[in-house]
Amino acid sequence: MSAPRLGSIESGGSKFVCLVGSAPDQIEAETRIPTGRPGPTLARAVAFFQETVARTGRLDAIGIASFGPLELRRGHAKFGHLAATPKPGWSGVDVAGPFADELRVPVGINTDVNGAALGEGRWGAARGLDTYIYLTVGTGIGGGAVINGNVVNGLIHTEMGHLTVPRLAGDTFPGSCPFHGDCWEGLAGGEAMSARWGAPAEELTGDALREALRMEAGYLAAGLRNIIYTTAPQRIVIGGGVAAFPGLFPLIRAELTSTLAGYPGLPEHAAEDFVVPARLGRLAGPAGGLVLAAGAADAARPSPDVGPSGGADA
Amino acid sequence: MSAPRLGSIESGGSKFVCLVGSAPDQIEAETRIPTGRPGPTLARAVAFFQETVARTGRLDAIGIASFGPLELRRGHAKFGHLAATPKPGWSGVDVAGPFADELRVPVGINTDVNGAALGEGRWGAARGLDTYIYLTVGTGIGGGAVINGNVVNGLIHTEMGHLTVPRLAGDTFPGSCPFHGDCWEGLAGGEAMSARWGAPAEELTGDALREALRMEAGYLAAGLRNIIYTTAPQRIVIGGGVAAFPGLFPLIRAELTSTLAGYPGLPEHAAEDFVVPARLGRLAGPAGGLVLAAGAADAARPSPDVGPSGGADA
């Protein structure tokens, strides 16, 4: 059997990244579409994949790693639709439907961070693990959990940016989250850092930079502690702009060791390969789309042990 | 095929509850053994099951829901052993081994709260769900997560009692956790309540009782928020002595609605069937042992599609 020809979409607030291939280093075609009104944006994405089919005669499945919040409960009437989102015009939009309807291929969909988690698991910093976390710390904070090899989608997808953590001593910044004020993202996302310091973090220098990084590491460690005690990950992979700050990872590891306070006393939690930078960078989301597409293709394939003659002969 | 004859052990700090049966309402034999030194305690438990085998000729598997911390990584040299525990003499003890060695049956083992989670899922308040939380709030706080139908065991089991949550305004109690001081359990476990109020919670009356319940609900809601945003459960089941306080559940639900602050805006999070009392009471752990035993029996059974002639004929 030849390699599958999969379509991947990372649908974000500013652009849709669409590609066709089988792996991050096996990309046949790619396009970027600015995120405008839903109808035309989705139509342009559909057209990109239609051209692929016209050219090659084949597309096996499509995977979408999308901004949220998304309805992901199987069998729900709004499966694959956006819920209420601040992005104008996009609330309630059916993101998955147009691709299934127009291209007649299996479509997998999940959140952008869950997609990135799957991508890092297949080709990146979480390869070979079955229980791990992918966290992005950029303007905001988002996290996806893979547990026993599967993404966590219970009542809804995870919303790790909105954890509650204690304030650091002396921090009077009210927080930037429109819902919670001083939740994790509201205290430690890039937007919060800019608001607290009166300048984007990347413009800080000297003592202000040192203090900003110290606080950032402290807040990130507090949230990581909550994630660790709740999901017992084998590794935590962190991507996003804030995570790229030089020197931040050693500070996070030190603060994490401090806040865990020797409980449960695993040397693994202090090891350098426990909290690590993401490897795929901007390709994590598109790679996740490929994993979601492959999963949709597998799910749509008739299972060998439910054929008409049924059962195994052992 | 007749119903399996399963052995279940709930091994706790004060006693081992051992039983034989197939369900909480199908118990053939039961005994309680005070938790003394490891050797004699385990030997008495082994002997109880040996008598069952002598009498009936059959025991299909044993499941153990044990106090922790436990090593649960498959293939680890210390699988089924206790790690460092405050219980004198029990650190490093092989809890699962004696049963496998002496009884020659498959043995499943997990933590007491994970066992209780499985029991509540099979016969109790989480029946029919695949992603849910079981929380016990007694002297301490412990939580088990079932995600996509499986217990979470990554690097280790979950340790939800040690989440970090913000202090409520005006609460100056330093916290009772020997590791973290004011972690979730250190602020909201039964031991913390007693220490804060100078008397066991069940002896409080009037204004003190009202204030204690208000604070307890506030702290529990903060931890639940962190669990919800991290694992997206379909339901949270709470057992344990503190959870039995009359009037506590409505307060928890109100505080949870307040701290979620409309995000992600699901009506399910405010519904009366979202945060619910446990149903199995003291049988949750032993029921969990039965589920673990059944799982061990299944895992030991040869799979039909890996027989010598291999594959399916479809």
Side-chain angles (χ1 to χ4, degrees), chain A residues 134-167:
Chain A
Y134 173 83
L135 199 73
T136 177
V137 186
T139 312
I141 297 179
V146 171
I147 306 275
N148 293 319
N150 293 303
V151 159
V152 175
N153 286 308
L155 186 60
I156 187 172
H157 43 79
T158 57
E159 288 287 359
M160 297 190 196
H162 299 276
L163 294 174
T164 181
V165 293
R167 278 175 175 281

Short mmCIF file of all heavy atoms in Angstrom, two decimals, chain A residues 134-167:
data_model
loop_
_atom_site.label_atom_id
_atom_site.label_comp_id
_atom_site.label_asym_id
_atom_site.label_seq_id
_atom_site.Cartn_x
_atom_site.Cartn_y
_atom_site.Cartn_z
N TYR A 134 0.92 18.74 25.96
CA TYR A 134 1.47 19.80 25.11
C TYR A 134 0.87 21.11 25.57
O TYR A 134 -0.36 21.23 25.68
CB TYR A 134 1.14 19.58 23.64
CG TYR A 134 1.55 20.77 22.79
CD1 TYR A 134 2.85 20.91 22.34
CD2 TYR A 134 0.63 21.77 22.49
CE1 TYR A 134 3.24 22.00 21.60
CE2 TYR A 134 1.02 22.88 21.74
CZ TYR A 134 2.32 22.99 21.30
OH TYR A 134 2.72 24.08 20.56
N LEU A 135 1.75 22.07 25.82
CA LEU A 135 1.30 23.37 26.30
C LEU A 135 1.83 24.44 25.37
O LEU A 135 2.99 24.37 24.96
CB LEU A 135 1.88 23.57 27.71
CG LEU A 135 1.24 24.61 28.61
CD1 LEU A 135 -0.10 24.08 29.11
CD2 LEU A 135 2.17 24.87 29.80
N THR A 136 1.00 25.39 25.01
CA THR A 136 1.51 26.53 24.28
C THR A 136 1.38 27.76 25.16
O THR A 136 0.33 28.00 25.76
CB THR A 136 0.81 26.72 22.92
OG1 THR A 136 1.31 27.90 22.29
CG2 THR A 136 -0.70 26.88 23.07
N VAL A 137 2.48 28.49 25.28
CA VAL A 137 2.46 29.74 26.05
C VAL A 137 2.84 30.85 25.09
O VAL A 137 4.01 31.05 24.76
CB VAL A 137 3.45 29.70 27.24
CG1 VAL A 137 3.29 30.95 28.10
CG2 VAL A 137 3.22 28.45 28.09
N GLY A 138 1.82 31.49 24.57
CA GLY A 138 2.03 32.60 23.66
C GLY A 138 1.25 33.79 24.21
O GLY A 138 1.36 34.10 25.40
N THR A 139 0.45 34.43 23.37
CA THR A 139 -0.42 35.49 23.86
C THR A 139 -1.25 34.97 25.02
O THR A 139 -1.40 35.60 26.05
CB THR A 139 -1.36 35.97 22.74
OG1 THR A 139 -0.57 36.19 21.58
CG2 THR A 139 -2.09 37.24 23.13
N GLY A 140 -1.81 33.77 24.83
CA GLY A 140 -2.54 33.08 25.89
C GLY A 140 -1.83 31.78 26.23
O GLY A 140 -0.70 31.53 25.81
N ILE A 141 -2.52 30.95 27.02
CA ILE A 141 -1.99 29.63 27.36
C ILE A 141 -3.03 28.59 27.00
O ILE A 141 -4.22 28.75 27.32
CB ILE A 141 -1.67 29.53 28.88
CG1 ILE A 141 -0.57 30.53 29.27
CG2 ILE A 141 -1.27 28.11 29.26
CD1 ILE A 141 -0.21 30.50 30.76
N GLY A 142 -2.59 27.54 26.32
CA GLY A 142 -3.50 26.44 26.00
C GLY A 142 -2.78 25.13 26.19
O GLY A 142 -1.56 25.06 25.98
N GLY A 143 -3.51 24.10 26.59
CA GLY A 143 -2.86 22.81 26.81
C GLY A 143 -3.71 21.66 26.31
O GLY A 143 -4.93 21.67 26.43
N GLY A 144 -3.05 20.67 25.75
CA GLY A 144 -3.71 19.44 25.32
C GLY A 144 -3.08 18.27 26.05
O GLY A 144 -1.87 18.25 26.28
N ALA A 145 -3.90 17.30 26.43
CA ALA A 145 -3.41 16.11 27.13
C ALA A 145 -3.64 14.89 26.27
O ALA A 145 -4.73 14.70 25.75
CB ALA A 145 -4.13 15.95 28.47
N VAL A 146 -2.59 14.08 26.14
CA VAL A 146 -2.73 12.74 25.56
C VAL A 146 -2.55 11.76 26.72
O VAL A 146 -1.54 11.80 27.42
CB VAL A 146 -1.69 12.49 24.46
CG1 VAL A 146 -1.71 11.03 24.02
CG2 VAL A 146 -1.96 13.41 23.27
N ILE A 147 -3.57 10.95 26.94
CA ILE A 147 -3.57 10.01 28.07
C ILE A 147 -3.77 8.60 27.50
O ILE A 147 -4.72 8.37 26.75
CB ILE A 147 -4.74 10.31 29.03
CG1 ILE A 147 -4.73 11.78 29.48
CG2 ILE A 147 -4.72 9.33 30.21
CD1 ILE A 147 -3.84 12.10 30.64
N ASN A 148 -2.88 7.70 27.86
CA ASN A 148 -2.96 6.33 27.34
C ASN A 148 -3.09 6.33 25.82
O ASN A 148 -3.81 5.52 25.24
CB ASN A 148 -4.15 5.58 27.95
CG ASN A 148 -3.98 5.31 29.45
OD1 ASN A 148 -2.90 4.96 29.90
ND2 ASN A 148 -5.04 5.50 30.22
N GLY A 149 -2.42 7.27 25.17
CA GLY A 149 -2.38 7.30 23.71
C GLY A 149 -3.49 8.07 23.03
O GLY A 149 -3.48 8.23 21.82
N ASN A 150 -4.47 8.54 23.81
CA ASN A 150 -5.59 9.27 23.21
C ASN A 150 -5.74 10.67 23.77
O ASN A 150 -5.51 10.90 24.95
CB ASN A 150 -6.90 8.50 23.45
CG ASN A 150 -6.94 7.19 22.71
OD1 ASN A 150 -6.81 7.15 21.50
ND2 ASN A 150 -7.08 6.11 23.46
N VAL A 151 -6.16 11.57 22.90
CA VAL A 151 -6.44 12.93 23.33
C VAL A 151 -7.62 12.93 24.30
O VAL A 151 -8.54 12.14 24.16
CB VAL A 151 -6.77 13.79 22.08
CG1 VAL A 151 -7.55 15.03 22.45
CG2 VAL A 151 -5.49 14.16 21.35
N VAL A 152 -7.54 13.79 25.30
CA VAL A 152 -8.63 13.93 26.26
C VAL A 152 -9.75 14.79 25.67
O VAL A 152 -9.54 15.97 25.39
CB VAL A 152 -8.13 14.57 27.57
CG1 VAL A 152 -9.29 14.82 28.52
CG2 VAL A 152 -7.07 13.71 28.21
N ASN A 153 -10.89 14.17 25.43
CA ASN A 153 -12.10 14.88 25.04
C ASN A 153 -13.24 14.28 25.82
O ASN A 153 -13.80 13.27 25.43
CB ASN A 153 -12.42 14.71 23.55
CG ASN A 153 -11.51 15.50 22.65
OD1 ASN A 153 -11.34 16.70 22.82
ND2 ASN A 153 -10.92 14.84 21.68
N GLY A 154 -13.53 14.87 26.96
CA GLY A 154 -14.63 14.35 27.76
C GLY A 154 -15.89 15.12 27.44
O GLY A 154 -16.43 15.04 26.33
N LEU A 155 -16.37 15.88 28.42
CA LEU A 155 -17.55 16.72 28.19
C LEU A 155 -17.23 17.75 27.12
O LEU A 155 -18.07 18.15 26.33
CB LEU A 155 -17.92 17.40 29.51
CG LEU A 155 -19.19 18.20 29.54
CD1 LEU A 155 -20.39 17.34 29.20
CD2 LEU A 155 -19.36 18.85 30.92
N ILE A 156 -15.98 18.19 27.10
CA ILE A 156 -15.47 19.16 26.13
C ILE A 156 -13.97 18.91 26.07
O ILE A 156 -13.48 17.95 26.64
CB ILE A 156 -15.83 20.60 26.58
CG1 ILE A 156 -15.48 21.63 25.52
CG2 ILE A 156 -15.23 20.94 27.94
CD1 ILE A 156 -15.99 23.04 25.85
N HIS A 157 -13.25 19.73 25.30
CA HIS A 157 -11.79 19.61 25.31
C HIS A 157 -11.23 20.32 26.55
O HIS A 157 -11.94 21.05 27.22
CB HIS A 157 -11.22 20.21 24.02
CG HIS A 157 -11.87 21.51 23.64
ND1 HIS A 157 -11.53 22.71 24.25
CD2 HIS A 157 -12.87 21.80 22.77
CE1 HIS A 157 -12.29 23.67 23.73
NE2 HIS A 157 -13.11 23.14 22.84
N THR A 158 -9.94 20.10 26.81
CA THR A 158 -9.33 20.74 27.97
C THR A 158 -9.22 22.25 27.76
O THR A 158 -9.22 22.74 26.63
CB THR A 158 -7.93 20.15 28.22
OG1 THR A 158 -7.13 20.31 27.05
CG2 THR A 158 -8.04 18.66 28.55
N GLU A 159 -9.14 22.95 28.89
CA GLU A 159 -9.04 24.43 28.85
C GLU A 159 -8.00 24.84 29.88
O GLU A 159 -8.27 25.61 30.81
CB GLU A 159 -10.40 25.05 29.19
CG GLU A 159 -11.45 24.91 28.11
CD GLU A 159 -11.20 25.83 26.93
OE1 GLU A 159 -10.22 26.59 26.94
OE2 GLU A 159 -12.00 25.76 25.97
N MET A 160 -6.77 24.33 29.71
CA MET A 160 -5.78 24.46 30.77
C MET A 160 -5.36 25.90 31.07
O MET A 160 -4.86 26.18 32.15
CB MET A 160 -4.56 23.61 30.44
CG MET A 160 -4.91 22.12 30.37
SD MET A 160 -3.41 21.12 30.26
CE MET A 160 -4.12 19.57 29.72
N GLY A 161 -5.54 26.78 30.10
CA GLY A 161 -5.16 28.18 30.34
C GLY A 161 -5.92 28.82 31.48
O GLY A 161 -5.49 29.83 32.03
N HIS A 162 -7.06 28.22 31.85
CA HIS A 162 -7.92 28.87 32.83
C HIS A 162 -7.85 28.23 34.22
O HIS A 162 -8.73 28.46 35.06
CB HIS A 162 -9.34 28.93 32.29
CG HIS A 162 -9.43 29.74 31.03
ND1 HIS A 162 -9.54 31.11 31.02
CD2 HIS A 162 -9.33 29.36 29.73
CE1 HIS A 162 -9.55 31.55 29.77
NE2 HIS A 162 -9.42 30.50 28.96
N LEU A 163 -6.80 27.45 34.47
CA LEU A 163 -6.52 26.97 35.82
C LEU A 163 -6.47 28.14 36.81
O LEU A 163 -6.11 29.25 36.44
CB LEU A 163 -5.15 26.28 35.86
CG LEU A 163 -4.98 25.00 35.05
CD1 LEU A 163 -3.52 24.56 35.11
CD2 LEU A 163 -5.89 23.91 35.61
N THR A 164 -6.76 27.83 38.06
CA THR A 164 -6.55 28.84 39.09
C THR A 164 -5.28 28.48 39.87
O THR A 164 -5.07 27.32 40.23
CB THR A 164 -7.78 28.97 40.03
OG1 THR A 164 -7.50 29.98 41.00
CG2 THR A 164 -8.14 27.67 40.73
N VAL A 165 -4.42 29.48 40.04
CA VAL A 165 -3.16 29.29 40.78
C VAL A 165 -3.00 30.45 41.76
O VAL A 165 -3.53 31.54 41.53
CB VAL A 165 -1.93 29.26 39.82
CG1 VAL A 165 -1.98 28.02 38.93
CG2 VAL A 165 -1.85 30.52 38.98
N PRO A 166 -2.29 30.22 42.86
CA PRO A 166 -2.09 31.31 43.82
C PRO A 166 -1.23 32.42 43.21
O PRO A 166 -0.34 32.16 42.40
CB PRO A 166 -1.33 30.64 44.98
CG PRO A 166 -1.51 29.18 44.80
CD PRO A 166 -1.66 28.96 43.32
N ARG A 167 -1.51 33.63 43.60
CA ARG A 167 -0.66 34.74 43.18
C ARG A 167 0.69 34.66 43.84
O ARG A 167 0.81 34.24 44.99
CB ARG A 167 -1.28 36.05 43.67
CG ARG A 167 -2.33 36.55 42.81
CD ARG A 167 -2.97 37.77 43.43
NE ARG A 167 -3.90 38.24 42.43
CZ ARG A 167 -3.52 38.93 41.36
NH1 ARG A 167 -2.26 39.32 41.21
NH2 ARG A 167 -4.41 39.26 40.45
#
